[in-house]
Amino acid sequence: MKILVAGNLVLDLLAWPVEEIRWDGTVWVDQITRSVGGNGANTSYTLAKLGVDVTLVGAVGKDAEGEELLSILKGVDTTRVKKLALPTPTTMALVKRTGQRAFVHRPGASKGALKSVPSMKGFHHFHLANPFAVPALRTLAPKMLERARRDGLTTSMDTGWDSRGEWGKVVLPCLEHVDVLFVNEEEARLITGAKSWRAALKLLPAGHVVMKRGDKGAVVDGALVPAYPVEAIDSTGAGDVFAGAFLAAWTRGYSLTESVDFANAAAAMSVLELGSVTGLKNFAQTLRWKKARRAAI
């Protein structure tokens, strides 16, 4: 199974723990680290770590940060990642001890990325990672997903946060071409205008809707799959890890519920360490962790 992922690549700079910001002052922290970030990069890294043949299409800058980011993406085919004359996208993440975080983001090369529909030849599945994170995807996303379907690929999309507030204008035209939609409660309400996540589910006409609900677990086609309780250190990238882990299981022939359960476990592991993908293990290790944790609950 070969998967093509389209999305952003970001170098994350993380500080932990940050409980408050003091303007004109200094906040001392225990850790400051650099990590792979961006919805496309995080999901691709997860897929590769879990043994999937994955190619990423997107853009970085022609700078040291871009080279660093590509070097971190071990196992991911990055030959279709363009190097543009713009700075590599970078996010500063301030992370609370409880795992909550606040971001400051420079889009950089994302502004010039993914301005045409990529070739789908040779792939079996196409995943679109956050249409809001790359400006060109706001209008090109439906065409990419339609092309993938026309070429015989299965498709998925993870929504993400829209800083412009366009929500449904961007997402709803995509859904007739989406086999699996990943979305959280708040995103679903904002996309549909519904007052509750249950009402929102009925207004998202994708093939299957997987709603991420954090420590409450996830809902797939209306059925709740419970989470794996952990003490989170950093929740950055957990949604991307979830999507990648789901696809790694689903494309292996796991059922929807089994794939969500596996994704819940991988996401739980990812929040145990600082950085989007630092806590990830391979497929067999994740299965063992999942079995042991479920038995202990």
Side-chain angles (χ1 to χ4, degrees):
M1 175 67 71
K2 296 184 68 175
I3 295 181
L4 178 66
V5 175
N8 61 336
L9 296 83
V10 179
L11 183 65
D12 280 353
L13 310 176
L14 302 112
W16 179 91
V18 180
E19 301 303 328
E20 62 178 346
I21 295 296
R22 300 173 186 168
W23 298 108
D24 299 319
T26 300
V27 176
W28 286 33
V29 297
D30 295 338
Q31 295 185 55
I32 295 179
T33 190
R34 301 160 78 90
S35 172
V36 62
N39 310 101
N42 288 338
T43 305
S44 297
Y45 185 100
T46 301
L47 285 163
K49 186 74 174 181
L50 295 173
V52 178
D53 187 344
V54 56
T55 297
L56 175 60
V57 57
V60 296
K62 294 180 179 179
D63 49 28
E65 289 78 11
E67 293 299 329
E68 178 182 355
L69 188 52
L70 293 176
S71 72
I72 297 172
L73 289 169
K74 297 174 182 177
V76 178
D77 181 352
T78 59
T79 56
R80 295 175 69 178
V81 174
K82 293 183 177 181
K83 297 179 181 179
L84 304 179
L86 291 166
T88 291
T90 304
T91 293
M92 298 176 65
L94 308 180
V95 186
K96 283 190 170 186
R97 197 174 294 275
T98 56
Q100 295 171 293
R101 65 269 194 263
F103 299 131
V104 178
H105 179 63
R106 178 188 68 186
S110 291
K111 292 181 177 180
L114 299 169
K115 291 193 172 183
S116 61
V117 176
S119 170
M120 307 286 176
K121 186 177 180 180
F123 294 97
H124 305 96
H125 183 86
F126 174 63
H127 178 69
L128 185 62
N130 191 353
F132 305 123
V134 178
L137 288 179
R138 290 177 178 270
T139 55
L140 204 58
K143 296 177 183 178
M144 286 188 180
L145 291 158
E146 182 182 17
R147 172 66 179 273
R149 277 278 193 81
R150 191 168 67 245
D151 288 354
L153 285 70
T154 51
T155 62
S156 55
M157 182 172 73
D158 197 357
T159 54
W161 183 260
D162 186 9
S163 58
R164 295 187 190 177
E166 294 180 334
W167 297 107
K169 177 182 176 182
V170 174
V171 171
L172 293 176
C174 297
L175 297 188
E176 64 178 297
H177 312 297
V178 173
D179 292 304
V180 180
L181 175 69
F182 301 100
V183 63
N184 68 29
E185 292 180 39
E186 187 173 11
E187 292 161 0
R189 291 196 302 269
L190 290 167
I191 289 165
T192 62
K195 293 183 178 180
S196 72
W197 65 265
R198 286 185 175 85
L201 283 175
K202 299 176 183 179
L203 300 173
L204 293 168
H208 302 284
V209 179
V210 179
M211 179 173 286
K212 300 171 285 186
R213 303 189 66 216
D215 59 6
K216 298 181 182 69
V219 174
V220 56
D221 290 348
L224 176 65
V225 182
Y228 290 82
V230 294
E231 294 292 329
I233 296 296
D234 176 18
S235 58
T236 305
D240 303 325
V241 169
F242 180 99
F246 175 97
L247 293 173
W250 188 57
T251 55
R252 274 179 168 85
Y254 283 47
S255 71
L256 289 168
T257 301
E258 291 169 338
S259 299
V260 170
D261 186 51
F262 183 82
N264 279 342
M269 295 172 74
S270 77
V271 304
L272 294 174
E273 297 188 39
L274 190 63
S276 299
V277 297
T278 311
L280 278 175
K281 306 298 181 185
N282 65 32
F283 203 94
Q285 291 170 324
T286 304
L287 284 176
R288 288 196 293 270
W289 185 93
K290 181 174 78 71
K291 183 178 179 181
R293 294 292 296 194
R294 188 61 77 197
I297 296 174

